[in-house]
Amino acid sequence: MNWLVKAYRLTTVSLFSAGLLLTSGCEDPNAIGVELPGTAPANTQYRDLPVTASTLLQDSLQTLKANSILVGNIRDNNLGINTIARGYFNLAITLPNLPFALSDSLPAKFTNPQLDSVVTYLSYNQLYGNTTQLAHFDLYNLQQRIGDREVYTSSTTLPLGEAIGTNLVSSLTRTRKTRVKVASGGATDTSTVVTQVADPSLRLVLHKPAQSSSFATALFEQLKNSNFNQAALDAFWKGLAVVPSAGFTGTMVGLGYNPSAVTSQVLVYYRVPSDPETPTKKKWRSYSIFLGTSLSAGNAGAARYFTQITPDLSGAGAFARLTDDSKEVTAAEANGVTYMQNGVGLGTKLVIPGLEDLRKESGLAINRAELIIPVKGYSNLLFTSPLQAYLYEINSHNRVLQRTVGITPIKRLVQADGENQQSQRAHSSNAPNSEATVTYYDLGANNKYYSVVITSYIQAYLYNQLGGELPAGLLLSPSLDLPTSIEASLPLNLNRAVLDGNNIKLRIYYSNLR
């Protein structure tokens, strides 16, 4: 592998002047780790190495048990990409933090229970696009469960079974009543009042007296069996798929845990004509079947779920050729910009030609290396900019390189400054993450950029200490991809950044020790 050779600019300045030139502000000389020029045998110099940037489309992003599950259909008018997302869920009759199944509400406990309605509640924590229109979704049974050992990504699909509800409608501005304490000056005042609060959840009615469902009726018959348990549920209902209805477009919903919303569940309402607790009147009861997003993401015991994401680039101009990750669109072909976007899978490829020339120089001590990535001003209306991103090492075919940690193959991520660049700690309670985080800075409407210090990485690159094949470039992506064995509540959204591809640079401060 070779970085393409290109001329670079060399300027010798004092440390004080170099600090003024840093986009991120002035630095203390001790923070860079060199003496002031003229006070030591080695002078401090800096180089701005230009970066060649282009846009790639990553496939198979990890979406299993992420912090959200995307469902909907939305078009990015800026890029011309239409994105459809579908959610797949396993189901559970209890939550992992409860030590028992909710058998006390099982209809089989009572004599002659009568089905009233079945409602699917889906809490959400993200909305994109038109949030005032009604949302339309179809619900499907799955032909097979989401397996406990299989790999599921954004490109995975599962075969659908029967449609159990079509064109089910929900408002995205729902409210619910709640009782809150009245603010008063008295410490002993316990007065309360009923008020309306936002309820960020979809309410999809599957069955009601005037709208019968054969699936809901069959489900209720299962619940009338006193032997009903998780195995019986899995045999009858393999899983749930939530799919945007035909013709529904303009909105994307990020389903996920939200403490302000109703728990994500399928709620079966029924009545008992002769309830032993209240024998003189009918008693309304309910039984819950839970989705994995009922809990905060990352709960190891929650039922599995994932998102399938299908971006349609046919109307995206030059980007339409991004049919696989070997293709790319240069900044020159896209009016000087490149993109990165979570969910859809857009990333920016960075090639730094001047690094190969630095490798040929002896006696260099790298004091600081900072990658500076400007954001195109006034470029995001529909989507929010990602607050952070990551750097993957890629080969000349744009494939992410891998290394084996223990017995697990892991995609090669640039590690944080000071970390061993040949290692990678996974996300867990006893092994915190070690990857370098590219941070977003917002200093005004036309002054936004991403930046990351990668001094240790550049040193390892120059001295051939990366352990394995040298990369042909780096991939900047807001999507963190860890081994599928680590269900780590990874973020999933549609956050997107438009980058100034012509002005990305790597600024290196170094000393020549010869």
Side-chain angles (χ1 to χ4, degrees), residues 51-58 337-341 345-351 373 390-392 394 474-478 497-499 501 504:
V51 177
T52 300
S54 55
T55 302
L56 305 178
L57 180 66
Q58 304 166 264
V337 301
T338 62
Y339 293 85
M340 65 173 181
Q341 185 173 17
L346 296 177
T348 289
K349 175 183 177 181
L350 306 174
V351 175
I373 307 161
Y390 308 93
L391 293 168
Y392 295 85
I394 58 176
L474 299 173
L475 174 64
L476 177 69
S477 170
V498 184
L499 308 177
I504 302 173

Side-chain angles (χ1 to χ4, degrees), residues 47-216:
R47 297 181 185 182
D48 276 347
L49 302 184
V51 177
T52 300
S54 55
T55 302
L56 305 178
L57 180 66
Q58 304 166 264
D59 60 1
S60 302
L61 298 177
Q62 185 173 337
T63 62
L64 179 67
K65 297 188 77 170
N67 66 352
S68 289
I69 187 165
L70 299 176
V71 293
N73 186 342
I74 195 167
R75 179 177 174 79
D76 180 349
N77 289 325
N78 184 26
L79 262 173
I81 297 177
N82 197 80
T83 302
I84 299 175
R86 303 170 177 87
Y88 298 84
F89 301 85
N90 277 349
L91 303 164
I93 63 173
T94 186
L95 295 175
N97 59 343
L98 297 179
F100 55 88
L102 302 179
S103 56
D104 60 331
S105 62
L106 188 67
K109 179 180 177 181
F110 305 99
T111 301
N112 194 27
Q114 298 175 10
L115 176 63
D116 180 78
S117 58
V118 178
V119 180
T120 300
Y121 291 95
L122 300 168
S123 64
Y124 59 80
N125 49 34
Q126 301 175 62
L127 286 176
Y128 299 94
N130 187 346
T131 61
T132 61
Q133 69 171 334
L134 294 176
H136 295 253
F137 290 99
D138 301 335
L139 302 183
Y140 286 86
N141 197 349
L142 297 180
Q143 292 185 23
Q144 64 189 57
R145 296 183 72 248
I146 301 173
D148 294 331
R149 298 184 181 276
E150 286 79 2
V151 175
Y152 298 91
T153 69
S154 58
S155 60
T156 304
T157 186
L158 286 179
L160 300 180
E162 65 176 317
I164 61 178
T166 57
N167 202 30
L168 305 182
V169 180
S170 177
S171 170
L172 295 171
T173 57
R174 297 181 62 247
T175 60
R176 59 184 173 87
K177 292 181 180 180
T178 188
R179 185 173 291 276
V180 297
K181 184 178 178 180
V182 177
S184 65
T188 60
D189 188 354
T190 59
S191 302
T192 60
V193 63
V194 175
T195 185
Q196 293 280 351
V197 297
D199 181 8
S201 64
L202 301 177
R203 183 178 184 272
L204 304 176
V205 179
L206 182 61
H207 176 96
K208 59 184 178 181
Q211 177 185 320
S212 62
S213 162
S214 59
F215 178 85

Side-chain angles (χ1 to χ4, degrees), residues 460-472:
Y461 177 87
L462 296 182
Y463 291 97
N464 198 22
Q465 296 175 344
L466 291 177
E469 178 183 349
L470 282 178

